[in-house]
């Protein structure tokens, strides 16, 4: 597709490679403590357990050392477990002088100039009974996300307040599974087209990570996405003057790598891979 390049970007080479990492959140409390939902004020929005925070920070450190390219921007679902995951991952990516014994963001010094973070409704959980039990969903349909409060949970100085979200509000409750999958595919394409010269990290939910593989790797079905699993996508962009033509995304993640398992698709492989798995 053809699209304008962002202002103030000069390109020396005619071909640019854009990298995208799509990551699931860490371990959520209701999978460890099933009775948590019975007393929670927001049972549809569980936080991470401590092991989830540690897993997220360590995954962020792995990305920092293993990817071979920098992350310029992070986009994150507004659900609390994703915000907390992004906070740990961003802290690890921006950490200055952290030793191998550091396993969480507590007390870590960061360089907030390394990347910017924004909340994106389009990366949210599937809003249907496949992902959120009907007895846990808000009765009035209001999920009650306070964006200012959520932004305050992210590492100081990393939030880009100038960014306008692609989805300005949540999808409607009871979206279909196929509708949610289409949304995940669309938001990946929309964000990469919006920031073609930057490498992106998208922190989302299990189904979103699955779509990041199945939408761009034909005839496969993703059947498992572990906590903090992530996929890697890459595409080439050919530049001419102030526009670019983008190639198709290449999936760099192999079966069983970085917590994602998939197989050849079958006609019956249509079940959703929601976050309660």
């Amino acid at each position: 597709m053809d699209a304008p390049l962002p202002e103030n970007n000069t390109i020396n080479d005619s071909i640019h490679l854009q990298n995208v990492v799509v990551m699931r959140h860490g371990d959520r409390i209701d999978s460890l403590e099933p009775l948590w939902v019975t007393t929670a004020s927001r049972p549809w929005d569980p936080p991470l357990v401590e092991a989830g925070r540690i897993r997220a920070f360590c995954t962020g450190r792995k990305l920092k050392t293993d990817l071979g390219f920098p992350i310029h921007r992070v986009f994150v679902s507004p659900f609390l477990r994703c915000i907390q995951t992004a906070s740990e991952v961003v802290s690890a990516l921006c950490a200055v002088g952290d030793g191998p014994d550091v396993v969480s963001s507590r007390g870590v010094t960061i360089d907030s100039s390394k990347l910017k973070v924004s909340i994106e409704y389009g990366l949210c959980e599937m809003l249907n009974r496949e992902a959120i039990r009907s007895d846990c969903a808000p009765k009035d349909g209001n999920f009650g996300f306070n964006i200012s409060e959520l932004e305050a949970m992210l590492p100081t100085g990393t939030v880009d307040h100038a960014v306008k979200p692609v989805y300005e509000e949540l999808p409607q409750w009871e979206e279909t599974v196929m509708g949610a999958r289409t949304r995940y595919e669309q938001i990946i394409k929309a964000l990469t087209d919006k920031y073609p010269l930057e490498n992106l990290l998208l922190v989302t939910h299990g189904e979103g990570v699955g779509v990041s593989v199945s939408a761009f790797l034909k005839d496969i079905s993703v059947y498992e996405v572990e906590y903090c699993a992530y996929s890697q996508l890459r595409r080439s962009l050919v530049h001419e003057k102030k526009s670019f033509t983008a190639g198709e995304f290449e999936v760099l993640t192999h079966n069983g790598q970085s917590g994602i398992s998939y197989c050849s698709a079958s006609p019956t492989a249509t079940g959703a891979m929601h976050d309660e798995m």
Side-chain angles (χ1 to χ4, degrees), residues 126-196:
M126 292 196 301
L127 296 190
N128 55 37
R129 299 168 196 266
E130 293 280 348
I132 303 173
R133 288 173 13 204
S134 57
D135 60 328
C136 291
K139 304 305 180 185
D140 60 359
N142 181 9
F143 284 80
F145 292 119
N146 186 314
I147 297 302
S148 295
E149 290 182 1
L150 295 174
E151 288 177 339
M153 299 178 188
L154 297 166
T156 302
T158 61
V159 176
D160 189 342
H161 297 284
V163 169
K164 293 183 179 180
V166 175
Y167 283 69
E168 296 187 357
E169 57 185 21
L170 287 173
Q172 292 297 309
W173 172 248
E174 294 288 20
E175 66 176 338
T176 64
V177 171
M178 292 308 298
R181 288 175 176 171
T182 298
R183 166 168 61 85
Y184 287 130
E185 181 178 356
Q186 289 177 340
I187 194 62
I188 292 171
K189 292 178 178 178
L191 290 172
T192 51
D193 285 347
K194 190 175 181 180
Y195 300 97

Side-chain angles (χ1 to χ4, degrees), residues 42 45 76-84 86-87 117-121 143-155 158-159 161 170:
R42 294 171 55 84
D45 196 18
V76 55
S77 159
F79 279 80
L80 180 57
R81 55 192 178 273
C82 291
I83 296 291
Q84 292 175 330
S87 181
V117 189
S118 303
I119 295 172
E120 173 54 60
Y121 282 128
F143 284 80
F145 292 119
N146 186 314
I147 297 302
S148 295
E149 290 182 1
L150 295 174
E151 288 177 339
M153 299 178 188
L154 297 166
T158 61
V159 176
H161 297 284
L170 287 173

